[in-house]
Amino acid sequence: MVTEGTVPAEGPVKAPLLGSGFHTSVGKESRAQTLQSGKRQIQQLGSQLQLNQHCLDTAFNFFKMVVSKHLTRGRKTEHVIAACLYLVCRTEGTPHMLLDLSDLLQVNVYILGKTFLLLARELCINAPAIVQPGVR
């Protein structure tokens, strides 16, 4: 019999901790898988746009920044990938429009635009306006 203020013979009773089965290494593995998958998707979509390796590497660097800032939560990965590629197109001055990515992915251009604007703002990337040659 245990009286108030004493510890039972078996030792103190421990309540189960929430999330006690979660290990930090699991998060690192998941992050590595996300990055690996992201790199593969950037390569695939970038090759369809005929972007060079420098642009693909830059898009992947943007994607790594997005993942590290947890900006992928609640967003489809393909939308984030497309936004990263479009960021590169704008910063490098390639002749691609957001509509090109929208057509490739069969996604509403306004959804991609919203993701693009969020990433540009959160990553503090100044995406220059598109200037068409001969148009003023």
Side-chain angles (χ1 to χ4, degrees):
M1 179 168 165
V2 177
T3 58
E4 192 175 339
T6 62
V7 178
E10 305 89 45
V13 177
K14 292 185 179 177
L17 296 174
L18 292 176
S20 61
F22 182 76
H23 301 287
T24 56
S25 63
V26 172
K28 290 177 184 172
E29 289 172 21
S30 176
R31 185 174 189 273
Q33 287 175 336
T34 300
L35 292 175
Q36 186 177 16
S37 171
K39 186 168 192 148
R40 188 178 65 251
Q41 290 179 56
I42 286 169
Q43 295 288 342
Q44 289 171 347
L45 196 53
S47 69
Q48 288 180 289
L49 294 170
Q50 298 179 334
L51 294 173
N52 63 33
Q53 192 59 46
H54 168 71
C55 289
L56 299 179
D57 292 341
T58 305
F60 182 60
N61 287 335
F62 287 155
F63 184 70
K64 287 191 287 191
M65 291 165 56
V66 167
V67 170
S68 70
K69 289 184 164 232
H70 307 291
L71 299 174
T72 55
R73 286 191 186 144
R75 293 176 183 79
K76 291 188 176 183
T77 305
E78 70 175 5
H79 297 176
V80 173
I81 297 288
C84 289
L85 282 166
Y86 187 60
L87 270 172
V88 171
C89 291
R90 291 283 292 272
T91 56
E92 295 294 323
T94 70
H96 299 92
M97 296 186 297
L98 192 58
L99 193 58
D100 298 329
L101 289 154
S102 171
D103 287 345
L104 283 175
L105 295 175
Q106 294 295 295
V107 176
N108 184 311
V109 71
Y110 291 102
I111 292 172
L112 291 184
K114 184 178 177 182
T115 305
F116 162 73
L117 290 172
L118 175 96
L119 297 187
R121 185 182 73 235
E122 291 295 321
L123 298 178
C124 301
I125 296 169
N126 183 21
I130 297 173
V131 178
Q132 294 178 334
V135 178
R136 291 182 186 207

